[in-house]
Each structure stands twice: as structure tokens, then as C-alpha cells.
């Protein structure tokens, strides 16, 4: 059989249609396409895809089951390593991890590992099977998990399967963390995917308490004292928005990407007035930044009714940190990329509302510490972009509440919790941490990988205490 060098295309909504709705863009493989894509896998004797997966999914094994049309076994293999397969199949940057190492990528395109993971995860969700609850021993040890994002949910799921009673404490009114507040509906449906994955963990026996702000309602010391928990995992993410500290950032019409996306995704402002949270979007929007969050904010702005949406980024397209797929989708939908431009001021009108974004043109110099060529301002090249909304999507930092109320737990100069890379152990005994609160803003799958490492380390720690 001839080697097929290209992935089977992902069915998608038409760009001109989807730019005006919040329904999922990628529609997923059907059974025949999934089997055909799985048959592209060479079944390597020394597969390089698995080492590229942060949670260690046995990729060749689950793909082999898809070839046999044994989709039930395929998802069980994935779930041995991943608690959130329907999520990862959609938002994980496979092209920089498992698929990057695929042997086929040396000759053509890699096997579409992420799309196949999504297919079998959706296949199982569609069956709506009952989740078997875990029977915990009467003397089972208790673990508290702070934060119901990807790292916390992964850690909780793995620990429950090991026989620990786990309670997850979430500050917001819905579990999911960035999956719920950060990633738009058109990339990751909340009720169809996120809530069902969370519900499956609850049915398994994980307790999830929402509206619980650790560090305010209780401290880590109280969890491990009078509240009776034997260990604690901190997975509070990176939810503190960064700004550029340029003139005009306090004007009306300036958002952080956190506020903007939280209003739209978690509070469902896109469905106002059916949901109570409103949001104001102008006719001309500038989104500052070049990562996935910037793409999400830009594409959301378009769907909310903006006539013109710009991505303003200080480097060139080659340095864009966003996934190539997200950049491609944004361009298809009509987002205007203004690259090698850097904002220097937001200009307001007499009423305090944004009326323009002043930028300066950039050129690329020598590589900086990140390995990317450093942007250098071109003197005298300032110009104004006519906009009435500016969204800052230039990164996030750690919320300090938990760390500041936990004596003995070390943080670094950025405010991130210091934790061992392999065990996720912090400087405070019995307390572990992982995900963005340790590394800074990263990917869903890397946070899940940290949650998995932490669960194994917590198990080892608690077994040593018996």
C-alpha cells in the first residue's frame, strides 16, 4: 500500500460562517477517516511519539486499536495516562510534542495523533456510559487539591484511582480552570466536553468544592491541621494579567485578556441577555500579543460583532508563539496581523474612551535569551491605529494568595512556587505544587503532566508515612 504523506483533513465550519458563531470550528473525524488516518501509522519498532507526550500516553498502542476498530480499547489505553482526553485532543499542541517526533514527519506530515485522540474520546462520551465509582477504604488517607484546572483535575483523578479520598477546592463557581474561563467555546465546548470530563471525575469519587478561595476561607496549614488532610497539591495556575505599563492603559475600552475571555467564556457574555454578564466590544479592536490567548481574544472579538480586528505583535510571523493551526484559523476568519509593531501608547478621547493605539515599527536584531531574534524599535516610525478597544494578551503571572498565606513555602522572584521538577514537592513538607503556578503560563498538557508527577510523588510520600 502506498504511503500517504499528508494527514486526512479535519472537517471544519466554513470560515465565513464560523466567524459569526460560537460553535466548534473543528468538527472531528468520522469513523472511516479515523481508521484511514490510523492506518498511516508505521507501527515503528522504536516509536518516538510516546516520549514526546508529557503524560506518557502509549500512542502506538491506542492507534493500533483504532486500526482494528476497537475504539473502546483505544480510549482505555489513553485513560491509563490521561484524565482529560477529549480536552487534550482539541487544545494540546501535538505538533510540538508527540507529532513532532513522528517518523512520517521526516517525509511528509506526521500521523494526526491529536485528532485520533479526540475521535476516540468523543466516541466514548457519545456512548454516555456510567462511570464506575471507586470504593475507598474506611481508613483512606485524604488529599486536598487547590485549583480545579488541568493540573489539579489530573492530580485528583490519579490519586482517586490510587485509593485516596480527594477534595478539590476551586475559587470560581465552575470547575475547569483555564479550560472553563480561558479557552473559547468554539475551540473547547464547555457543556459538551469540559463539564462532562469534570462530572466523570466526580462520579468516580473526587469531591469538588467550588466558590472556595484558599488563602481566604482557609489556609494550607488549616487544611493539614484541623481539616485533617494528609497532603496538599497546589495547582492554582497563572491568572494574574500582565500589562505593558504604557500611557493610556487605564482608559475605558482597555481589557486584559483574562477579564475579556472570562466574561465571554465563563460568564457567557456572548449569549447576553440570556446570561446576565454584558460585554462591550467596539467596531475596531486591537489585540496585543501573539500567543494562543491573543488568537482566542481576536477571534472572540470578531464573533461578538467587531468589524475589524488586529493582532499587534512586536516580532515577525516566524516568532509567533501561537499554534500554527490557530494562526491559520484566525487568518481564514479575516483577522488582520500587524506584525513587527509594538504599542507605545493608548490614546483616548475627551470622554476617556479608547480612540487609537499608537505603535512603533520594529525590526529583528540578534537572538535574545529565548532564542528568538530580539525586536528593536525603528526610530521615528511611530503611527496610530484607529481602534476603540484594546485587549492586552501579553501573558499572566501567579495569583499570590495561597503562597502569601503559607509560611515555609518558597517562591521565586516572579512569585511562582518553587517545586522539585520531578516530584513537584515544595519546600513545605506534605505540600506539592505543579502547573502554571510553578512554571508560569504554559500549556494544558504540561500542567496535566505536572499533576500526574505530583500524584505519583504524593502517593510515595503518604505510603512512607504509614
Amino acid at each position: 500500500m502506498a504511503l500517504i504523506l499528508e494527514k486526512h483533513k479535519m472537517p471544519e465550519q466554513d470560515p465565513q460562517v464560523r466567524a459569526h458563531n460560537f460553535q466548534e470550528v473543528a468538527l472531528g473525524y468520522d469513523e472511516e477517516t479515523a481508521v484511514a488516518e490510523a492506518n498511516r501509522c508505521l507501527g515503528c519498532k522504536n516509536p518516538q511519539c510516546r516520549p514526546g507526550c508529557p503524560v506518557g500516553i502509549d500512542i502506538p498502542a491506542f492507534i493500533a486499536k483504532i486500526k482494528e476498530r476497537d475504539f473502546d480499547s483505544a480510549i482505555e489505553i489513553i485513560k491509563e495516562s490521561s484524565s482529560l482526553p477529549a480536552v487534550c485532543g482539541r487544545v494540546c499542541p501535538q505538533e510540538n510534542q508527540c507529532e513532532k517526533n513522528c517518523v512520517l514527519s521526516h517525509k511528509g506530515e506526521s500521523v494526526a495523533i491529536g485528532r485520533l485522540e479526540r475521535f476516540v474520546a468523543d466516541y466514548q462520551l457519545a456512548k454516555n456510559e456510567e462511570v464506575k465509582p471507586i470504593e475507598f477504604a474506611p481508613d483512606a488517607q485524604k488529599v486536598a487539591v487547590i485549583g480545579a484546572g488541568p493540573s489539579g483535575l489530573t492530580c485528583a483523578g490519579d490519586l482517586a484511582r490510587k485509593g485516596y479520598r480527594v477534595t478539590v477546592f476551586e475559587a470560581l463557581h465552575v470547575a475547569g480552570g483555564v479550560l472553563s474561563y480561558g479557552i473559547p467555546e468554539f475551540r473547547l465546548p464547555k457543556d459538551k466536553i469540559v463539564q462532562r470530563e469534570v462530572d466523570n471525575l466526580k462520579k468516580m469519587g473526587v469531591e469538588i468544592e467550588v466558590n472556595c478561595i484558599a488563602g481566604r476561607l482557609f489556609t494550607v496549614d488549616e487544611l493539614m491541621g484541623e481539616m485533617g488532610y494528609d497532603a496538599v497539591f497546589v495547582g492554582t495556575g497563572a491568572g494574574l494579567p500582565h500589562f505593558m505599563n504604557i500611557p493610556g492603559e487605564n482608559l475605558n475600552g482597555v481589557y486584559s485578556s483574562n477579564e475579556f475571555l472570562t466574561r465571554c467564556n465563563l460568564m457567557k457574555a456572548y449569549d447576553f441577555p440570556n446570561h446576565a454578564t454584558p460585554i462591550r466590544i467596539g467596531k475596531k479592536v486591537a489585540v496585543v500579543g501573539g500567543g494562543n490567548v491573543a488568537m482566542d481574544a481576536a477571534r472572540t472579538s470578531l464573533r461578538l460583532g467587531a468589524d475589524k480586528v488586529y493582532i499587534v505583535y512586536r516580532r515577525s510571523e516566524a516568532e509567533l508563539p501561537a499554534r500554527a493551526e490557530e494562526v491559520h484559523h484566525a487568518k481564514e476568519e479575516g483577522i488582520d496581523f500587524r506584525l513587527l509593531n509594538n504599542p507605545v501608547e493608548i490614546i483616548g478621547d475627551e470622554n476617556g474612551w479608547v480612540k487609537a493605539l499608537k505603535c512603533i515599527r520594529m525590526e529583528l536584531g540578534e537572538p535574545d535569551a529565548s532564542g528568538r531574534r530580539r525586536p528593536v524599535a525603528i526610530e521615528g516610525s511611530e503611527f496610530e491605529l484607529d481602534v476603540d478597544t484594546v485587549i492586552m494578551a501579553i501573558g499572566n503571572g501567579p495569583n499570590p494568595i495561597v503562597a502569601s498565606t503559607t509560611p515555609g513555602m518558597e517562591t521565586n522572584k516572579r512569585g511562582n512556587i518553587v517545586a522539585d521538577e520531578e516530584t513537584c514537592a515544595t519546600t513545605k513538607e506534605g505540600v506539592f505544587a505543579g502547573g502554571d503556578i510553578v512554571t508560569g503560563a504554559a500549556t494544558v498538557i504540561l500542567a496535566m503532566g505536572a499533576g500526574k508527577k505530583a500524584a505519583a510523588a504524593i502517593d510515595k510520600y503518604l505510603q512512607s508515612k504509614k
Side-chain angles (χ1 to χ4, degrees):
M1 187 171 65
L3 192 64
I4 301 173
L5 295 180
E6 293 185 351
K7 295 176 181 178
H8 288 80
K9 292 188 180 301
M10 171 65 87
E12 297 174 348
Q13 282 196 72
D14 180 89
Q16 301 308 311
V17 175
R18 72 185 190 229
H20 304 288
N21 69 54
F22 279 84
Q23 296 164 20
E24 194 167 12
V25 168
L27 304 177
Y29 282 167
D30 60 20
E31 184 174 321
E32 295 307 316
T33 307
V35 172
E37 182 62 29
N39 278 312
R40 294 184 63 231
C41 178
L42 300 176
C44 305
K45 290 183 179 179
N46 183 26
Q48 296 302 303
C49 52
R50 187 174 185 180
C53 176
V55 296
I57 293 171
D58 191 343
I59 294 167
F62 96 75
I63 291 179
K65 291 299 181 183
I66 295 176
K67 290 181 182 181
E68 300 169 8
R69 297 180 186 267
D70 185 358
F71 308 132
D72 291 310
S73 295
I75 191 60
E76 290 309 313
I77 290 168
I78 293 172
K79 285 198 165 185
E80 289 172 4
S81 303
S82 173
S83 299
L84 306 168
V87 170
C88 288
R90 286 168 165 80
V91 302
C92 182
Q94 295 95 1
E95 68 277 6
N96 293 322
Q97 295 173 160
C98 55
E99 293 182 11
K100 182 180 179 180
N101 297 333
C102 177
V103 171
L104 274 181
S105 66
H106 300 312
K107 295 184 177 181
E109 291 185 328
S110 65
V111 174
I113 297 168
R115 296 173 186 177
L116 293 176
E117 180 181 18
R118 168 183 167 158
F119 167 76
V120 290
D122 286 358
Y123 168 85
Q124 187 183 57
L125 285 175
K127 291 174 71 175
N128 204 26
E129 294 176 331
E130 283 297 314
V131 176
K132 188 177 179 181
I134 294 169
E135 295 183 10
F136 298 103
D139 61 345
Q141 291 168 291
K142 293 170 57 181
V143 180
V145 172
I146 302 175
S151 63
L153 293 175
T154 299
C155 184
D158 278 18
L159 286 170
R161 292 185 190 95
K162 294 176 189 294
Y164 296 99
R165 291 190 178 276
V166 183
T167 303
V168 182
F169 297 98
E170 168 58 43
L172 297 174
H173 63 284
V174 174
V178 70
L179 306 177
S180 293
Y181 74 76
I183 302 175
E185 188 80 11
F186 56 81
R187 279 215 294 139
L188 185 63
K190 304 299 170 269
D191 292 338
K192 175 185 169 185
I193 302 300
V194 179
Q195 192 56 50
R196 288 186 67 181
E197 296 274 39
V198 170
D199 287 344
N200 285 343
L201 284 174
K202 290 165 74 173
K203 290 174 183 176
M204 197 170 73
V206 174
E207 294 184 17
I208 299 179
E209 301 285 345
V210 297
N211 297 314
C212 290
I213 303 177
R216 289 293 181 265
L217 294 180
F218 49 80
T219 64
V220 168
D221 285 338
E222 287 170 340
L223 284 171
M224 300 184 72
E226 54 262 43
M227 294 174 73
Y229 288 92
D230 300 288
V232 174
F233 175 74
V234 181
T236 48
L240 200 64
H242 288 163
F243 286 90
M244 294 185 68
N245 296 318
I246 59 176
E249 281 185 313
N250 61 338
L251 289 167
N252 296 317
V254 179
Y255 292 96
S256 70
S257 56
N258 287 54
E259 179 192 354
F260 180 73
L261 291 173
T262 298
R263 281 176 170 269
C264 291
N265 302 328
L266 185 69
M267 311 301 290
K268 300 189 185 302
Y270 67 87
D271 194 27
F272 182 82
N274 294 322
H275 290 83
T277 299
I279 193 163
R280 179 192 180 278
I281 193 71
K283 291 301 180 183
K284 295 180 180 179
V285 180
V287 178
V288 180
N292 290 329
V293 174
M295 301 304 140
D296 288 343
R299 297 171 69 198
T300 296
S301 299
L302 198 65
R303 285 159 171 78
L304 288 172
D307 293 333
K308 187 73 176 178
V309 182
Y310 302 97
I311 288 282
V312 180
Y313 181 61
R314 63 184 182 152
R315 289 184 163 100
S316 72
E317 185 163 349
E319 289 80 32
L320 278 170
R323 293 184 69 187
E325 179 179 284
E326 302 308 321
V327 174
H328 171 68
H329 282 159
K331 286 182 175 180
E332 280 190 327
E333 292 167 10
I335 304 299
D336 188 343
F337 282 70
R338 296 299 179 98
L339 305 175
L340 288 170
N341 291 300
N342 199 36
V344 293
E345 182 182 358
I346 304 171
I347 300 169
D349 64 17
E350 63 277 7
N351 296 314
W353 288 89
V354 173
K355 72 172 186 178
L357 181 66
K358 186 176 182 180
C359 301
I360 189 166
R361 292 185 171 86
M362 312 292 283
E363 59 185 359
L364 295 179
E366 296 300 313
D368 61 15
S370 71
R372 296 179 296 173
R373 293 175 65 191
R374 186 171 61 89
V376 179
I378 300 173
E379 189 175 346
S381 64
E382 292 87 350
F383 67 97
E384 292 182 10
L385 204 57
D386 178 24
V387 296
D388 49 18
T389 303
V390 175
I391 302 171
M392 290 293 178
I394 57 170
N396 305 292
N399 190 305
I401 294 176
V402 172
S404 66
T405 57
T406 308
M409 187 167 67
E410 185 182 346
T411 57
N412 62 22
K413 62 182 180 181
R414 294 185 180 88
N416 298 101
I417 296 172
V418 175
D420 184 271
E421 190 174 336
E422 290 304 314
T423 67
C424 298
T426 72
T427 53
K428 189 175 181 71
E429 185 180 350
V431 180
F432 300 75
D436 292 1
I437 189 63
V438 172
T439 61
T443 63
V444 168
I445 192 67
L446 287 175
M448 289 176 62
K452 197 166 190 65
K453 284 182 182 179
I458 290 170
D459 177 43
K460 185 175 181 180
Y461 168 77
L462 292 178
Q463 290 303 312
S464 73
K465 294 294 180 181
K466 282 188 173 180

